[in-house]
Amino acid sequence: IVLQTIAANIGSSLTPVGNPQNLYLFSHYNIPLGTFLLILLPVVLGGALLLALSTLLIDKKPINSLIATSGPKLMGLESDSPESFKSEENIIDRACLEERENMLQIPIKKGRLLTFIFLFFVSVLAVLNLIPIEGVAVFLVLCVLVVDRRLFREVDYGLLFTFIGFFIFVGNMSSLEAVKTFLSQLLSKGVFIVSLLTSQFISNVPAAVLLSGFTKDAKGLLLGVNVGGMGTLIASLASVISYKLYTKAHPKMTKCYLKVFTGLNLAFLAVLSLVALFFY
């Protein structure tokens, strides 16, 4: 799960629509698409190679997807220790088979699928400034209300409002004269390092918004907030989401998860920082 989270952070770095900070910076600096891809390609390729090597650390055995979601609790079991997983393996295997059979019985509505594929491409066109983004936003909301309004109930509004709070905080801080002076002086010493470190404390999306108003070095900021998505737990939205999902299923494994998460993320952060600095 930790490696999947890292892979999400690395893979999302390549394109403007891959993650929120890229979407914002692509629009803010009006970066040409080709230039954007070339800036981040070395980091993504280096990260992919490192991920491939990291898979050697994983035991060569089938992974039960049900463990990450329902796990023992689906079967009425209480323990979340690694030892309990071994003893419950056969029970969970059977549960996985039953779950897989149930999923295969769910009919795929082709009309609904095609609608969402169409909406995705409409969104991409809006990001590339080929059609008005305001009109697209209204169009998307109306379409989802018609096609599947239940999706609005499945949004993690707590997490959403947490990041809205980050943006409000960043906006208020960046309007202070003392903060403006401090950030301008700080960024003059190295946009990449400053944006990378800032991401570790306030997450990479707010860091991108905060620092973009004080530098014209789009390349350094783009590399910094994307590589900076690794490291601490709050460095990226993907890390927060995977942590919440895992600890909700296995609350007794929180410390173990944090140790593995921190160790792997710091390793990736160190290596990919060197890669980014080499091509910066």
PDB file of all heavy atoms in Angstrom, residues 3 49-60 264 268:
ATOM      1  N   LEU A   3       3.918   1.475  -1.267  1.00  0.00           N
ATOM      2  CA  LEU A   3       4.487   1.589  -2.608  1.00  0.00           C
ATOM      3  C   LEU A   3       3.443   2.049  -3.624  1.00  0.00           C
ATOM      4  O   LEU A   3       3.763   2.782  -4.561  1.00  0.00           O
ATOM      5  CB  LEU A   3       5.099   0.252  -3.042  1.00  0.00           C
ATOM      6  CG  LEU A   3       6.412  -0.143  -2.356  1.00  0.00           C
ATOM      7  CD1 LEU A   3       6.869  -1.517  -2.819  1.00  0.00           C
ATOM      8  CD2 LEU A   3       7.504   0.887  -2.625  1.00  0.00           C
ATOM      9  N   LEU A  49      11.770   3.322 -12.163  1.00  0.00           N
ATOM     10  CA  LEU A  49      12.855   2.355 -11.999  1.00  0.00           C
ATOM     11  C   LEU A  49      13.036   1.986 -10.530  1.00  0.00           C
ATOM     12  O   LEU A  49      13.201   0.809 -10.179  1.00  0.00           O
ATOM     13  CB  LEU A  49      14.154   2.934 -12.566  1.00  0.00           C
ATOM     14  CG  LEU A  49      15.416   2.067 -12.407  1.00  0.00           C
ATOM     15  CD1 LEU A  49      15.243   0.730 -13.115  1.00  0.00           C
ATOM     16  CD2 LEU A  49      16.643   2.806 -12.953  1.00  0.00           C
ATOM     17  N   LEU A  50      12.986   2.986  -9.671  1.00  0.00           N
ATOM     18  CA  LEU A  50      13.138   2.752  -8.234  1.00  0.00           C
ATOM     19  C   LEU A  50      11.980   1.923  -7.685  1.00  0.00           C
ATOM     20  O   LEU A  50      12.171   1.062  -6.812  1.00  0.00           O
ATOM     21  CB  LEU A  50      13.221   4.097  -7.507  1.00  0.00           C
ATOM     22  CG  LEU A  50      13.806   4.095  -6.084  1.00  0.00           C
ATOM     23  CD1 LEU A  50      15.202   3.484  -6.078  1.00  0.00           C
ATOM     24  CD2 LEU A  50      13.860   5.523  -5.541  1.00  0.00           C
ATOM     25  N   LEU A  51      10.795   2.159  -8.192  1.00  0.00           N
ATOM     26  CA  LEU A  51       9.629   1.371  -7.781  1.00  0.00           C
ATOM     27  C   LEU A  51       9.787  -0.088  -8.197  1.00  0.00           C
ATOM     28  O   LEU A  51       9.469  -1.002  -7.427  1.00  0.00           O
ATOM     29  CB  LEU A  51       8.355   1.947  -8.407  1.00  0.00           C
ATOM     30  CG  LEU A  51       7.695   3.123  -7.686  1.00  0.00           C
ATOM     31  CD1 LEU A  51       6.650   3.761  -8.582  1.00  0.00           C
ATOM     32  CD2 LEU A  51       7.071   2.672  -6.369  1.00  0.00           C
ATOM     33  N   ALA A  52      10.277  -0.292  -9.421  1.00  0.00           N
ATOM     34  CA  ALA A  52      10.489  -1.659  -9.903  1.00  0.00           C
ATOM     35  C   ALA A  52      11.475  -2.408  -9.013  1.00  0.00           C
ATOM     36  O   ALA A  52      11.277  -3.573  -8.670  1.00  0.00           O
ATOM     37  CB  ALA A  52      10.988  -1.636 -11.347  1.00  0.00           C
ATOM     38  N   LEU A  53      12.539  -1.721  -8.602  1.00  0.00           N
ATOM     39  CA  LEU A  53      13.526  -2.336  -7.713  1.00  0.00           C
ATOM     40  C   LEU A  53      12.941  -2.578  -6.322  1.00  0.00           C
ATOM     41  O   LEU A  53      13.259  -3.571  -5.667  1.00  0.00           O
ATOM     42  CB  LEU A  53      14.770  -1.436  -7.609  1.00  0.00           C
ATOM     43  CG  LEU A  53      15.585  -1.265  -8.888  1.00  0.00           C
ATOM     44  CD1 LEU A  53      16.694  -0.235  -8.685  1.00  0.00           C
ATOM     45  CD2 LEU A  53      16.178  -2.597  -9.344  1.00  0.00           C
ATOM     46  N   SER A  54      12.067  -1.676  -5.883  1.00  0.00           N
ATOM     47  CA  SER A  54      11.474  -1.793  -4.546  1.00  0.00           C
ATOM     48  C   SER A  54      10.544  -2.983  -4.428  1.00  0.00           C
ATOM     49  O   SER A  54      10.324  -3.501  -3.331  1.00  0.00           O
ATOM     50  CB  SER A  54      10.706  -0.508  -4.196  1.00  0.00           C
ATOM     51  OG  SER A  54      11.574   0.600  -4.161  1.00  0.00           O
ATOM     52  N   THR A  55       9.975  -3.409  -5.542  1.00  0.00           N
ATOM     53  CA  THR A  55       9.074  -4.567  -5.485  1.00  0.00           C
ATOM     54  C   THR A  55       9.809  -5.840  -5.079  1.00  0.00           C
ATOM     55  O   THR A  55       9.179  -6.826  -4.679  1.00  0.00           O
ATOM     56  CB  THR A  55       8.385  -4.792  -6.847  1.00  0.00           C
ATOM     57  OG1 THR A  55       9.381  -4.991  -7.855  1.00  0.00           O
ATOM     58  CG2 THR A  55       7.519  -3.614  -7.221  1.00  0.00           C
ATOM     59  N   LEU A  56      11.142  -5.813  -5.179  1.00  0.00           N
ATOM     60  CA  LEU A  56      11.925  -6.966  -4.736  1.00  0.00           C
ATOM     61  C   LEU A  56      11.840  -7.156  -3.222  1.00  0.00           C
ATOM     62  O   LEU A  56      12.173  -8.220  -2.703  1.00  0.00           O
ATOM     63  CB  LEU A  56      13.391  -6.798  -5.154  1.00  0.00           C
ATOM     64  CG  LEU A  56      13.649  -6.689  -6.669  1.00  0.00           C
ATOM     65  CD1 LEU A  56      15.129  -6.413  -6.930  1.00  0.00           C
ATOM     66  CD2 LEU A  56      13.207  -7.957  -7.384  1.00  0.00           C
ATOM     67  N   LEU A  57      11.394  -6.104  -2.519  1.00  0.00           N
ATOM     68  CA  LEU A  57      11.269  -6.183  -1.063  1.00  0.00           C
ATOM     69  C   LEU A  57       9.987  -6.892  -0.637  1.00  0.00           C
ATOM     70  O   LEU A  57       9.831  -7.262   0.531  1.00  0.00           O
ATOM     71  CB  LEU A  57      11.262  -4.763  -0.463  1.00  0.00           C
ATOM     72  CG  LEU A  57      12.500  -3.890  -0.723  1.00  0.00           C
ATOM     73  CD1 LEU A  57      12.247  -2.477  -0.198  1.00  0.00           C
ATOM     74  CD2 LEU A  57      13.723  -4.494  -0.060  1.00  0.00           C
ATOM     75  N   ILE A  58       9.079  -7.092  -1.582  1.00  0.00           N
ATOM     76  CA  ILE A  58       7.779  -7.674  -1.254  1.00  0.00           C
ATOM     77  C   ILE A  58       7.835  -9.192  -1.376  1.00  0.00           C
ATOM     78  O   ILE A  58       8.414  -9.728  -2.319  1.00  0.00           O
ATOM     79  CB  ILE A  58       6.694  -7.114  -2.199  1.00  0.00           C
ATOM     80  CG1 ILE A  58       6.630  -5.585  -2.079  1.00  0.00           C
ATOM     81  CG2 ILE A  58       5.322  -7.716  -1.880  1.00  0.00           C
ATOM     82  CD1 ILE A  58       5.688  -4.940  -3.064  1.00  0.00           C
ATOM     83  N   ASP A  59       7.217  -9.879  -0.423  1.00  0.00           N
ATOM     84  CA  ASP A  59       7.152 -11.337  -0.479  1.00  0.00           C
ATOM     85  C   ASP A  59       6.445 -11.789  -1.746  1.00  0.00           C
ATOM     86  O   ASP A  59       5.427 -11.209  -2.157  1.00  0.00           O
ATOM     87  CB  ASP A  59       6.388 -11.880   0.741  1.00  0.00           C
ATOM     88  CG  ASP A  59       7.175 -11.666   2.018  1.00  0.00           C
ATOM     89  OD1 ASP A  59       8.410 -11.505   1.920  1.00  0.00           O
ATOM     90  OD2 ASP A  59       6.562 -11.656   3.094  1.00  0.00           O
ATOM     91  N   LYS A  60       6.986 -12.819  -2.375  1.00  0.00           N
ATOM     92  CA  LYS A  60       6.400 -13.333  -3.619  1.00  0.00           C
ATOM     93  C   LYS A  60       5.235 -14.261  -3.300  1.00  0.00           C
ATOM     94  O   LYS A  60       5.360 -15.474  -3.283  1.00  0.00           O
ATOM     95  CB  LYS A  60       7.473 -14.071  -4.433  1.00  0.00           C
ATOM     96  CG  LYS A  60       8.690 -13.221  -4.743  1.00  0.00           C
ATOM     97  CD  LYS A  60       8.302 -11.985  -5.562  1.00  0.00           C
ATOM     98  CE  LYS A  60       9.543 -11.199  -5.965  1.00  0.00           C
ATOM     99  NZ  LYS A  60      10.254 -10.593  -4.846  1.00  0.00           N
ATOM    100  N   LEU A 264      10.362   4.289   3.523  1.00  0.00           N
ATOM    101  CA  LEU A 264      10.348   4.226   2.065  1.00  0.00           C
ATOM    102  C   LEU A 264      10.240   5.610   1.435  1.00  0.00           C
ATOM    103  O   LEU A 264      10.904   5.911   0.437  1.00  0.00           O
ATOM    104  CB  LEU A 264       9.196   3.345   1.595  1.00  0.00           C
ATOM    105  CG  LEU A 264       9.414   1.836   1.720  1.00  0.00           C
ATOM    106  CD1 LEU A 264       8.131   1.078   1.420  1.00  0.00           C
ATOM    107  CD2 LEU A 264      10.525   1.371   0.788  1.00  0.00           C
ATOM    108  N   PHE A 268      12.893   7.390  -1.222  1.00  0.00           N
ATOM    109  CA  PHE A 268      12.491   7.887  -2.541  1.00  0.00           C
ATOM    110  C   PHE A 268      12.745   9.387  -2.657  1.00  0.00           C
ATOM    111  O   PHE A 268      13.169   9.878  -3.710  1.00  0.00           O
ATOM    112  CB  PHE A 268      11.012   7.590  -2.787  1.00  0.00           C
ATOM    113  CG  PHE A 268      10.754   6.248  -3.409  1.00  0.00           C
ATOM    114  CD1 PHE A 268      10.739   5.094  -2.626  1.00  0.00           C
ATOM    115  CD2 PHE A 268      10.538   6.125  -4.766  1.00  0.00           C
ATOM    116  CE1 PHE A 268      10.505   3.844  -3.187  1.00  0.00           C
ATOM    117  CE2 PHE A 268      10.304   4.879  -5.343  1.00  0.00           C
ATOM    118  CZ  PHE A 268      10.288   3.733  -4.559  1.00  0.00           C
TER     119      PHE A 268
END
